[in-house]
Amino acid sequence: MTQIIAYLKFKNNCRDAMNFYQKCLGGELEFQTVKGSVFETSGMSEAEGQKIVHSQLVSDRIVLFASEMMVPGDHPNSTFLWINCDADAEIRKIHGALSEGGKITAEPQQAYWGTTFSAVDDRFGIKWYISTLPVKQ
């Protein structure tokens, strides 16, 4: 396991929140919007296209991820923990361990960004994302 990263979920105010955190904490901020992603659909409004699929605030000491894409079971303005792994085998091992007594919300699978991803709500109600998504350092 290389890192555990906080993953914040917002309802329609991710850009404002992440700009605020950048102002407070520094770092390089990047946004990926629905427009231009695999989630873009024909006939989508401009507002829908500007929703944040993924953002990251990165410095030499900080990594913070955020999104305003909600899936069933998500709560607006909530926190998930992201485990950034080195290999798929590590994802499967951690996924299995964290899901004991908890709830699997996404089996290990190929994600749209090209790596393996899984999600678990552990027995204590903590939400985990587990992936091999490379983090810029």
Side-chain angles (χ1 to χ4, degrees):
M1 171 173 26
T2 58
Q3 292 176 298
I4 295 179
I5 300 165
Y7 200 112
L8 308 175
K9 290 288 192 124
F10 296 97
K11 184 175 183 178
N12 302 321
N13 61 348
C14 181
R15 187 179 302 275
D16 291 340
M18 291 299 279
N19 281 318
F20 173 76
Y21 296 139
Q22 181 186 36
K23 181 180 171 186
C24 294
L25 305 170
E28 183 180 328
L29 180 58
E30 296 179 15
F31 293 102
Q32 178 186 10
T33 61
V34 171
K35 185 175 183 173
S37 77
V38 299
F39 301 107
E40 184 176 11
T41 60
S42 62
M44 175 180 287
S45 73
E46 183 63 29
E48 290 172 313
Q50 291 306 307
K51 286 187 77 127
I52 305 300
V53 172
H54 178 76
S55 63
Q56 56 188 40
L57 178 61
V58 179
S59 74
D60 59 338
R61 303 189 71 195
I62 297 168
V63 178
L64 183 63
F65 289 169
S67 174
E68 52 193 16
M69 300 296 291
M70 295 289 163
V71 297
D74 283 0
H75 300 283
N77 298 343
S78 60
T79 303
F80 293 64
L81 295 177
W82 181 291
I83 299 180
N84 192 42
C85 298
D86 291 326
D88 286 0
E90 188 177 28
I91 290 171
R92 293 180 197 301
K93 177 182 175 189
I94 293 169
H95 173 90
L98 286 173
S99 64
E100 239 178 75
K103 177 183 172 189
I104 295 170
T105 55
E107 291 286 351
Q109 59 193 285
Q110 188 74 16
Y112 73 89
W113 58 84
T115 65
T116 302
F117 171 84
S118 72
V120 171
D121 294 354
D122 72 20
R123 71 176 88 182
F124 303 103
I126 303 299
K127 296 177 179 296
W128 296 87
Y129 287 161
I130 310 158
S131 183
T132 55
L133 178 69
V135 176
K136 293 181 181 180
Q137 299 276 353

